[in-house]
Amino acid sequence: MRLMFISDIHGIKTNLPKIKERFEKLNCDKLVVLGDLYYIGPRNKMIEGYDIKYVQEFLSSFKDKLICVRGNCDSEVDIMVSDFPIVNELSLISTIKEDLYLTHGHIYNESNWSKTNSTLIYGHLHIPFINKIETNLYINPGSISLPKEGNPPSYLYYDENKFIIYDINDNILMEKEI
């Protein structure tokens, strides 16, 4: 199983064509979006590329291969106007090797996770990382649209042998063999 993870689009279309291109080139089975689909939020300035309709159409084009988790900026109206499901708080993908827990990160994260021997993948922070803490692996793909702390826009790729975080120019930022 090959999965691509993106997070924190916030209605910005700028890097989505590149994501589609990479999704196809990597022959991914699913696109996992870890929340904050449309709304740019009150702390962010309106920036070039903000286009909610484009983002909705982009995500709809993946609807048979899409898994979406609700983020803290995703409203009931966002869910209502999307023609694909957006699950609340926590989802799970079981692979041959492990269970991948998916969330946005504003509720479940490194500081608030009670499972052991698990992998939790979440966004919300807009900062890419792969952290092993005790028996758990915590992964954040960063933000595809509004990265923080000087990081580039980034996404996560998973192929049952490894996790790789790429920047938008396909440079490897970090990876973890399984």
Side-chain angles (χ1 to χ4, degrees):
M1 179 180 291
R2 293 183 182 102
L3 307 171
M4 179 180 282
F5 297 82
I6 62 174
S7 189
D8 298 282
I9 301 168
H10 289 287
I12 300 166
K13 69 180 181 179
T14 307
N15 294 319
L16 297 181
K18 179 70 172 190
I19 289 300
K20 185 168 188 138
E21 174 188 308
R22 291 297 293 158
F23 182 89
E24 292 168 358
K25 187 173 182 180
L26 292 169
N27 197 26
C28 293
D29 300 298
K30 299 285 182 191
L31 176 64
V32 181
V33 182
L34 301 170
D36 287 358
L37 309 178
Y38 307 125
Y39 181 53
I40 201 162
R43 289 184 263 172
N44 299 307
K45 296 178 192 174
M46 189 64 67
I47 66 171
E48 186 176 331
Y50 186 66
D51 187 339
I52 295 170
K53 185 167 176 50
Y54 180 95
V55 172
Q56 193 274 333
E57 289 170 356
F58 171 84
L59 294 172
S60 292
S61 74
F62 285 92
K63 71 179 174 182
D64 293 334
K65 296 182 175 192
L66 184 67
I67 298 170
C68 255
V69 177
R70 185 177 185 174
N72 62 305
C73 291
D74 298 322
S75 70
E76 293 295 323
V77 172
D78 295 333
I79 293 169
M80 190 172 67
V81 299
S82 298
D83 62 350
F84 48 84
I86 301 173
V87 299
N88 277 327
E89 297 175 14
L90 190 64
S91 188
L92 172 69
I93 297 175
S94 292
T95 70
I96 294 170
K97 291 188 174 183
E98 63 194 314
D99 289 339
L100 306 175
Y101 293 90
L102 318 171
T103 191
H104 180 60
H106 64 296
I107 297 173
Y108 300 108
N109 51 54
E110 287 179 23
S111 303
N112 184 25
W113 188 243
S114 61
K115 294 196 177 291
T116 57
N117 302 309
S118 66
T119 300
L120 181 67
I121 304 172
Y122 62 98
H124 186 59
L125 300 175
H126 300 228
I127 300 166
F129 60 76
I130 300 174
N131 292 336
K132 177 82 171 169
I133 300 174
E134 296 178 12
T135 63
N136 292 330
L137 189 59
Y138 299 95
I139 302 174
N140 192 312
S143 172
I144 196 62
S145 299
L146 295 170
K148 292 184 178 176
E149 295 186 2
N151 288 290
S154 55
Y155 64 94
L156 172 68
Y157 171 75
Y158 168 81
D159 74 0
E160 293 189 357
N161 293 310
K162 63 187 166 225
F163 292 98
I164 303 173
I165 298 177
Y166 290 99
D167 72 11
I168 198 63
N169 296 314
D170 305 323
N171 298 306
I172 295 175
L173 300 178
M174 54 199 74
E175 64 184 299
K176 174 78 173 157
E177 297 281 332
I178 300 172

mmCIF file of all heavy atoms in Angstrom, residues 93-131:
data_model
loop_
_atom_site.group_PDB
_atom_site.id
_atom_site.type_symbol
_atom_site.label_atom_id
_atom_site.label_comp_id
_atom_site.label_asym_id
_atom_site.label_seq_id
_atom_site.Cartn_x
_atom_site.Cartn_y
_atom_site.Cartn_z
ATOM 1 N N ILE A 93 -5.940 3.420 9.525
ATOM 2 C CA ILE A 93 -5.634 2.607 8.357
ATOM 3 C C ILE A 93 -4.806 1.432 8.861
ATOM 4 O O ILE A 93 -3.748 1.637 9.473
ATOM 5 C CB ILE A 93 -4.825 3.387 7.295
ATOM 6 C CG1 ILE A 93 -5.627 4.560 6.753
ATOM 7 C CG2 ILE A 93 -4.402 2.451 6.164
ATOM 8 C CD1 ILE A 93 -4.841 5.438 5.783
ATOM 9 N N SER A 94 -5.274 0.232 8.610
ATOM 10 C CA SER A 94 -4.516 -0.968 8.966
ATOM 11 C C SER A 94 -3.759 -1.443 7.735
ATOM 12 O O SER A 94 -4.361 -1.668 6.687
ATOM 13 C CB SER A 94 -5.452 -2.068 9.470
ATOM 14 O OG SER A 94 -6.001 -1.700 10.704
ATOM 15 N N THR A 95 -2.456 -1.570 7.873
ATOM 16 C CA THR A 95 -1.630 -2.080 6.789
ATOM 17 C C THR A 95 -1.132 -3.469 7.175
ATOM 18 O O THR A 95 -1.405 -3.947 8.278
ATOM 19 C CB THR A 95 -0.430 -1.146 6.520
ATOM 20 O OG1 THR A 95 0.475 -1.232 7.611
ATOM 21 C CG2 THR A 95 -0.882 0.292 6.314
ATOM 22 N N ILE A 96 -0.389 -4.083 6.304
ATOM 23 C CA ILE A 96 0.155 -5.408 6.591
ATOM 24 C C ILE A 96 1.052 -5.368 7.817
ATOM 25 O O ILE A 96 1.040 -6.276 8.640
ATOM 26 C CB ILE A 96 0.936 -5.945 5.372
ATOM 27 C CG1 ILE A 96 -0.019 -6.190 4.206
ATOM 28 C CG2 ILE A 96 1.719 -7.205 5.712
ATOM 29 C CD1 ILE A 96 0.656 -6.496 2.891
ATOM 30 N N LYS A 97 1.805 -4.304 7.974
ATOM 31 C CA LYS A 97 2.791 -4.212 9.051
ATOM 32 C C LYS A 97 2.306 -3.523 10.313
ATOM 33 O O LYS A 97 2.822 -3.791 11.393
ATOM 34 C CB LYS A 97 4.042 -3.491 8.555
ATOM 35 C CG LYS A 97 4.836 -4.288 7.554
ATOM 36 C CD LYS A 97 6.151 -3.600 7.276
ATOM 37 C CE LYS A 97 6.999 -4.490 6.388
ATOM 38 N NZ LYS A 97 8.308 -3.903 6.133
ATOM 39 N N GLU A 98 1.347 -2.601 10.182
ATOM 40 C CA GLU A 98 0.994 -1.806 11.360
ATOM 41 C C GLU A 98 -0.327 -1.070 11.182
ATOM 42 O O GLU A 98 -0.873 -1.002 10.086
ATOM 43 C CB GLU A 98 2.092 -0.791 11.647
ATOM 44 C CG GLU A 98 2.288 0.219 10.526
ATOM 45 C CD GLU A 98 3.576 0.991 10.670
ATOM 46 O OE1 GLU A 98 3.855 1.456 11.781
ATOM 47 O OE2 GLU A 98 4.291 1.101 9.676
ATOM 48 N N ASP A 99 -0.786 -0.514 12.293
ATOM 49 C CA ASP A 99 -1.952 0.366 12.278
ATOM 50 C C ASP A 99 -1.454 1.807 12.282
ATOM 51 O O ASP A 99 -0.586 2.169 13.079
ATOM 52 C CB ASP A 99 -2.831 0.148 13.514
ATOM 53 C CG ASP A 99 -3.563 -1.176 13.477
ATOM 54 O OD1 ASP A 99 -3.736 -1.743 12.385
ATOM 55 O OD2 ASP A 99 -3.977 -1.652 14.554
ATOM 56 N N LEU A 100 -2.013 2.608 11.382
ATOM 57 C CA LEU A 100 -1.680 4.025 11.307
ATOM 58 C C LEU A 100 -2.871 4.808 11.809
ATOM 59 O O LEU A 100 -3.949 4.752 11.214
ATOM 60 C CB LEU A 100 -1.365 4.424 9.863
ATOM 61 C CG LEU A 100 -0.294 3.615 9.135
ATOM 62 C CD1 LEU A 100 -0.186 4.067 7.686
ATOM 63 C CD2 LEU A 100 1.048 3.712 9.841
ATOM 64 N N TYR A 101 -2.699 5.531 12.901
ATOM 65 C CA TYR A 101 -3.757 6.366 13.448
ATOM 66 C C TYR A 101 -3.619 7.759 12.848
ATOM 67 O O TYR A 101 -2.524 8.322 12.800
ATOM 68 C CB TYR A 101 -3.673 6.422 14.972
ATOM 69 C CG TYR A 101 -3.981 5.096 15.601
ATOM 70 C CD1 TYR A 101 -2.972 4.168 15.858
ATOM 71 C CD2 TYR A 101 -5.299 4.753 15.917
ATOM 72 C CE1 TYR A 101 -3.274 2.942 16.410
ATOM 73 C CE2 TYR A 101 -5.596 3.525 16.481
ATOM 74 C CZ TYR A 101 -4.579 2.620 16.719
ATOM 75 O OH TYR A 101 -4.871 1.388 17.260
ATOM 76 N N LEU A 102 -4.734 8.296 12.365
ATOM 77 C CA LEU A 102 -4.755 9.570 11.664
ATOM 78 C C LEU A 102 -5.609 10.565 12.415
ATOM 79 O O LEU A 102 -6.732 10.250 12.809
ATOM 80 C CB LEU A 102 -5.352 9.394 10.263
ATOM 81 C CG LEU A 102 -4.924 8.170 9.474
ATOM 82 C CD1 LEU A 102 -5.756 8.032 8.213
ATOM 83 C CD2 LEU A 102 -3.447 8.221 9.165
ATOM 84 N N THR A 103 -5.111 11.761 12.581
ATOM 85 C CA THR A 103 -5.865 12.813 13.251
ATOM 86 C C THR A 103 -5.322 14.161 12.778
ATOM 87 O O THR A 103 -4.311 14.217 12.084
ATOM 88 C CB THR A 103 -5.780 12.653 14.782
ATOM 89 O OG1 THR A 103 -6.719 13.513 15.410
ATOM 90 C CG2 THR A 103 -4.390 12.906 15.304
ATOM 91 N N HIS A 104 -5.996 15.227 13.175
ATOM 92 C CA HIS A 104 -5.495 16.544 12.802
ATOM 93 C C HIS A 104 -4.370 16.999 13.728
ATOM 94 O O HIS A 104 -3.393 17.603 13.291
ATOM 95 C CB HIS A 104 -6.618 17.589 12.790
ATOM 96 C CG HIS A 104 -6.133 18.946 12.413
ATOM 97 N ND1 HIS A 104 -5.538 19.206 11.197
ATOM 98 C CD2 HIS A 104 -6.104 20.111 13.095
ATOM 99 C CE1 HIS A 104 -5.173 20.481 11.145
ATOM 100 N NE2 HIS A 104 -5.500 21.053 12.292
ATOM 101 N N GLY A 105 -4.476 16.720 14.991
ATOM 102 C CA GLY A 105 -3.410 17.062 15.925
ATOM 103 C C GLY A 105 -3.795 18.048 17.000
ATOM 104 O O GLY A 105 -3.052 18.252 17.954
ATOM 105 N N HIS A 106 -4.953 18.683 16.880
ATOM 106 C CA HIS A 106 -5.358 19.648 17.902
ATOM 107 C C HIS A 106 -5.946 18.945 19.130
ATOM 108 O O HIS A 106 -6.043 19.559 20.187
ATOM 109 C CB HIS A 106 -6.336 20.674 17.332
ATOM 110 C CG HIS A 106 -7.639 20.108 16.872
ATOM 111 N ND1 HIS A 106 -7.732 19.211 15.824
ATOM 112 C CD2 HIS A 106 -8.890 20.295 17.314
ATOM 113 C CE1 HIS A 106 -9.004 18.886 15.646
ATOM 114 N NE2 HIS A 106 -9.722 19.538 16.539
ATOM 115 N N ILE A 107 -6.312 17.679 19.006
ATOM 116 C CA ILE A 107 -6.806 16.893 20.141
ATOM 117 C C ILE A 107 -5.789 15.810 20.499
ATOM 118 O O ILE A 107 -5.291 15.762 21.615
ATOM 119 C CB ILE A 107 -8.187 16.280 19.839
ATOM 120 C CG1 ILE A 107 -9.212 17.396 19.614
ATOM 121 C CG2 ILE A 107 -8.628 15.347 20.967
ATOM 122 C CD1 ILE A 107 -10.572 16.931 19.139
ATOM 123 N N TYR A 108 -5.488 14.942 19.539
ATOM 124 C CA TYR A 108 -4.512 13.872 19.768
ATOM 125 C C TYR A 108 -3.182 14.270 19.150
ATOM 126 O O TYR A 108 -3.115 14.699 18.001
ATOM 127 C CB TYR A 108 -4.998 12.555 19.154
ATOM 128 C CG TYR A 108 -6.306 12.092 19.721
ATOM 129 C CD1 TYR A 108 -7.470 12.157 18.970
ATOM 130 C CD2 TYR A 108 -6.394 11.611 21.023
ATOM 131 C CE1 TYR A 108 -8.685 11.743 19.491
ATOM 132 C CE2 TYR A 108 -7.592 11.201 21.559
ATOM 133 C CZ TYR A 108 -8.743 11.267 20.782
ATOM 134 O OH TYR A 108 -9.932 10.861 21.308
ATOM 135 N N ASN A 109 -2.099 14.104 19.946
ATOM 136 C CA ASN A 109 -0.756 14.454 19.503
ATOM 137 C C ASN A 109 0.251 13.819 20.461
ATOM 138 O O ASN A 109 -0.137 13.020 21.313
ATOM 139 C CB ASN A 109 -0.601 15.978 19.433
ATOM 140 C CG ASN A 109 -1.029 16.652 20.718
ATOM 141 O OD1 ASN A 109 -0.554 16.303 21.798
ATOM 142 N ND2 ASN A 109 -1.924 17.614 20.618
ATOM 143 N N GLU A 110 1.505 14.169 20.350
ATOM 144 C CA GLU A 110 2.538 13.608 21.230
ATOM 145 C C GLU A 110 2.209 13.790 22.703
ATOM 146 O O GLU A 110 2.543 12.952 23.533
ATOM 147 C CB GLU A 110 3.897 14.269 20.971
ATOM 148 C CG GLU A 110 4.552 13.872 19.703
ATOM 149 C CD GLU A 110 5.882 14.578 19.507
ATOM 150 O OE1 GLU A 110 6.498 15.030 20.491
ATOM 151 O OE2 GLU A 110 6.301 14.677 18.357
ATOM 152 N N SER A 111 1.582 14.902 23.038
ATOM 153 C CA SER A 111 1.271 15.213 24.438
ATOM 154 C C SER A 111 -0.004 14.556 24.934
ATOM 155 O O SER A 111 -0.240 14.510 26.130
ATOM 156 C CB SER A 111 1.126 16.728 24.607
ATOM 157 O OG SER A 111 2.284 17.373 24.198
ATOM 158 N N ASN A 112 -0.843 14.090 24.016
ATOM 159 C CA ASN A 112 -2.139 13.536 24.403
ATOM 160 C C ASN A 112 -2.418 12.276 23.575
ATOM 161 O O ASN A 112 -3.235 12.298 22.662
ATOM 162 C CB ASN A 112 -3.252 14.567 24.191
ATOM 163 C CG ASN A 112 -4.595 14.069 24.670
ATOM 164 O OD1 ASN A 112 -4.673 13.208 25.538
ATOM 165 N ND2 ASN A 112 -5.656 14.594 24.091
ATOM 166 N N TRP A 113 -1.709 11.198 23.909
ATOM 167 C CA TRP A 113 -1.877 9.930 23.208
ATOM 168 C C TRP A 113 -1.619 8.806 24.189
ATOM 169 O O TRP A 113 -0.561 8.754 24.815
ATOM 170 C CB TRP A 113 -0.918 9.852 22.019
ATOM 171 C CG TRP A 113 -1.147 8.685 21.123
ATOM 172 C CD1 TRP A 113 -0.269 7.661 20.890
ATOM 173 C CD2 TRP A 113 -2.295 8.402 20.325
ATOM 174 N NE1 TRP A 113 -0.810 6.771 19.996
ATOM 175 C CE2 TRP A 113 -2.056 7.209 19.633
ATOM 176 C CE3 TRP A 113 -3.519 9.044 20.132
ATOM 177 C CZ2 TRP A 113 -2.987 6.636 18.765
ATOM 178 C CZ3 TRP A 113 -4.437 8.479 19.270
ATOM 179 C CH2 TRP A 113 -4.178 7.297 18.595
ATOM 180 N N SER A 114 -2.584 7.899 24.341
ATOM 181 C CA SER A 114 -2.472 6.871 25.376
ATOM 182 C C SER A 114 -2.105 5.489 24.850
ATOM 183 O O SER A 114 -1.821 4.596 25.641
ATOM 184 C CB SER A 114 -3.788 6.788 26.157
ATOM 185 O OG SER A 114 -4.848 6.441 25.289
ATOM 186 N N LYS A 115 -2.101 5.288 23.557
ATOM 187 C CA LYS A 115 -1.762 3.977 23.018
ATOM 188 C C LYS A 115 -0.253 3.757 23.080
ATOM 189 O O LYS A 115 0.525 4.702 23.102
ATOM 190 C CB LYS A 115 -2.241 3.845 21.576
ATOM 191 C CG LYS A 115 -3.759 3.870 21.457
ATOM 192 C CD LYS A 115 -4.186 3.362 20.101
ATOM 193 C CE LYS A 115 -5.683 3.312 19.986
ATOM 194 N NZ LYS A 115 -6.299 2.308 20.811
ATOM 195 N N THR A 116 0.147 2.494 23.092
ATOM 196 C CA THR A 116 1.559 2.144 23.013
ATOM 197 C C THR A 116 1.793 1.364 21.729
ATOM 198 O O THR A 116 0.854 0.835 21.129
ATOM 199 C CB THR A 116 1.999 1.296 24.227
ATOM 200 O OG1 THR A 116 1.183 0.128 24.293
ATOM 201 C CG2 THR A 116 1.867 2.088 25.523
ATOM 202 N N ASN A 117 3.030 1.290 21.303
ATOM 203 C CA ASN A 117 3.393 0.571 20.076
ATOM 204 C C ASN A 117 2.536 1.012 18.894
ATOM 205 O O ASN A 117 1.978 0.186 18.181
ATOM 206 C CB ASN A 117 3.274 -0.945 20.282
ATOM 207 C CG ASN A 117 4.137 -1.432 21.413
ATOM 208 O OD1 ASN A 117 5.328 -1.123 21.451
ATOM 209 N ND2 ASN A 117 3.556 -2.156 22.338
ATOM 210 N N SER A 118 2.429 2.301 18.708
ATOM 211 C CA SER A 118 1.538 2.803 17.666
ATOM 212 C C SER A 118 2.213 3.900 16.851
ATOM 213 O O SER A 118 3.236 4.455 17.241
ATOM 214 C CB SER A 118 0.246 3.351 18.287
ATOM 215 O OG SER A 118 0.508 4.485 19.080
ATOM 216 N N THR A 119 1.595 4.174 15.705
ATOM 217 C CA THR A 119 2.027 5.273 14.845
ATOM 218 C C THR A 119 0.878 6.264 14.739
ATOM 219 O O THR A 119 -0.217 5.895 14.315
ATOM 220 C CB THR A 119 2.413 4.759 13.446
ATOM 221 O OG1 THR A 119 3.491 3.830 13.579
ATOM 222 C CG2 THR A 119 2.837 5.913 12.545
ATOM 223 N N LEU A 120 1.128 7.497 15.151
ATOM 224 C CA LEU A 120 0.140 8.569 15.078
ATOM 225 C C LEU A 120 0.635 9.592 14.062
ATOM 226 O O LEU A 120 1.739 10.127 14.194
ATOM 227 C CB LEU A 120 -0.054 9.231 16.440
ATOM 228 C CG LEU A 120 -1.094 10.355 16.504
ATOM 229 C CD1 LEU A 120 -2.500 9.805 16.266
ATOM 230 C CD2 LEU A 120 -1.032 11.075 17.849
ATOM 231 N N ILE A 121 -0.188 9.835 13.043
ATOM 232 C CA ILE A 121 0.161 10.789 11.991
ATOM 233 C C ILE A 121 -0.813 11.949 12.074
ATOM 234 O O ILE A 121 -2.029 11.737 12.039
ATOM 235 C CB ILE A 121 0.107 10.115 10.600
ATOM 236 C CG1 ILE A 121 1.022 8.880 10.580
ATOM 237 C CG2 ILE A 121 0.510 11.116 9.518
ATOM 238 C CD1 ILE A 121 0.901 8.032 9.341
ATOM 239 N N TYR A 122 -0.275 13.155 12.200
ATOM 240 C CA TYR A 122 -1.139 14.321 12.360
ATOM 241 C C TYR A 122 -0.504 15.580 11.790
ATOM 242 O O TYR A 122 0.693 15.638 11.562
ATOM 243 C CB TYR A 122 -1.515 14.524 13.821
ATOM 244 C CG TYR A 122 -0.379 14.800 14.770
ATOM 245 C CD1 TYR A 122 -0.067 16.097 15.142
ATOM 246 C CD2 TYR A 122 0.366 13.770 15.330
ATOM 247 C CE1 TYR A 122 0.949 16.367 16.032
ATOM 248 C CE2 TYR A 122 1.386 14.020 16.219
ATOM 249 C CZ TYR A 122 1.683 15.318 16.569
ATOM 250 O OH TYR A 122 2.696 15.580 17.445
ATOM 251 N N GLY A 123 -1.349 16.579 11.544
ATOM 252 C CA GLY A 123 -0.912 17.869 11.028
ATOM 253 C C GLY A 123 -0.967 18.924 12.118
ATOM 254 O O GLY A 123 -0.391 18.772 13.171
ATOM 255 N N HIS A 124 -1.690 19.985 11.861
ATOM 256 C CA HIS A 124 -2.001 21.066 12.785
ATOM 257 C C HIS A 124 -0.812 21.991 13.084
ATOM 258 O O HIS A 124 -0.981 23.201 13.134
ATOM 259 C CB HIS A 124 -2.593 20.528 14.088
ATOM 260 C CG HIS A 124 -3.073 21.571 15.035
ATOM 261 N ND1 HIS A 124 -4.049 22.484 14.705
ATOM 262 C CD2 HIS A 124 -2.709 21.858 16.318
ATOM 263 C CE1 HIS A 124 -4.278 23.281 15.747
ATOM 264 N NE2 HIS A 124 -3.469 22.925 16.723
ATOM 265 N N LEU A 125 0.367 21.470 13.279
ATOM 266 C CA LEU A 125 1.512 22.294 13.682
ATOM 267 C C LEU A 125 2.200 22.987 12.511
ATOM 268 O O LEU A 125 2.970 23.920 12.725
ATOM 269 C CB LEU A 125 2.531 21.435 14.442
ATOM 270 C CG LEU A 125 2.024 20.784 15.718
ATOM 271 C CD1 LEU A 125 3.096 19.873 16.303
ATOM 272 C CD2 LEU A 125 1.576 21.827 16.726
ATOM 273 N N HIS A 126 1.997 22.501 11.290
ATOM 274 C CA HIS A 126 2.610 23.055 10.083
ATOM 275 C C HIS A 126 4.126 22.873 10.084
ATOM 276 O O HIS A 126 4.843 23.605 9.404
ATOM 277 C CB HIS A 126 2.261 24.534 9.901
ATOM 278 C CG HIS A 126 0.804 24.824 9.776
ATOM 279 N ND1 HIS A 126 0.312 25.629 8.774
ATOM 280 C CD2 HIS A 126 -0.278 24.430 10.491
ATOM 281 C CE1 HIS A 126 -1.006 25.727 8.898
ATOM 282 N NE2 HIS A 126 -1.379 25.000 9.934
ATOM 283 N N ILE A 127 4.619 21.907 10.843
ATOM 284 C CA ILE A 127 6.051 21.642 10.968
ATOM 285 C C ILE A 127 6.284 20.148 10.737
ATOM 286 O O ILE A 127 5.727 19.320 11.462
ATOM 287 C CB ILE A 127 6.559 22.030 12.373
ATOM 288 C CG1 ILE A 127 6.311 23.518 12.634
ATOM 289 C CG2 ILE A 127 8.032 21.681 12.529
ATOM 290 C CD1 ILE A 127 6.471 23.920 14.083
ATOM 291 N N PRO A 128 7.106 19.785 9.736
ATOM 292 C CA PRO A 128 7.333 18.361 9.486
ATOM 293 C C PRO A 128 8.277 17.738 10.514
ATOM 294 O O PRO A 128 9.265 18.357 10.920
ATOM 295 C CB PRO A 128 7.971 18.358 8.097
ATOM 296 C CG PRO A 128 8.642 19.684 7.977
ATOM 297 C CD PRO A 128 7.798 20.640 8.787
ATOM 298 N N PHE A 129 7.952 16.507 10.924
ATOM 299 C CA PHE A 129 8.855 15.764 11.808
ATOM 300 C C PHE A 129 8.477 14.290 11.834
ATOM 301 O O PHE A 129 7.363 13.899 11.516
ATOM 302 C CB PHE A 129 8.885 16.327 13.227
ATOM 303 C CG PHE A 129 7.567 16.334 13.961
ATOM 304 C CD1 PHE A 129 7.028 15.180 14.507
ATOM 305 C CD2 PHE A 129 6.865 17.525 14.122
ATOM 306 C CE1 PHE A 129 5.818 15.203 15.194
ATOM 307 C CE2 PHE A 129 5.662 17.563 14.796
ATOM 308 C CZ PHE A 129 5.140 16.401 15.342
ATOM 309 N N ILE A 130 9.453 13.485 12.219
ATOM 310 C CA ILE A 130 9.266 12.076 12.534
ATOM 311 C C ILE A 130 9.954 11.868 13.867
ATOM 312 O O ILE A 130 11.184 11.983 13.964
ATOM 313 C CB ILE A 130 9.885 11.154 11.460
ATOM 314 C CG1 ILE A 130 9.247 11.401 10.096
ATOM 315 C CG2 ILE A 130 9.743 9.687 11.878
ATOM 316 C CD1 ILE A 130 9.905 10.644 8.947
ATOM 317 N N ASN A 131 9.183 11.614 14.912
ATOM 318 C CA ASN A 131 9.720 11.452 16.258
ATOM 319 C C ASN A 131 9.367 10.086 16.819
ATOM 320 O O ASN A 131 8.199 9.705 16.829
ATOM 321 C CB ASN A 131 9.154 12.512 17.216
ATOM 322 C CG ASN A 131 9.639 13.904 16.902
ATOM 323 O OD1 ASN A 131 10.691 14.081 16.302
ATOM 324 N ND2 ASN A 131 8.881 14.908 17.303
#
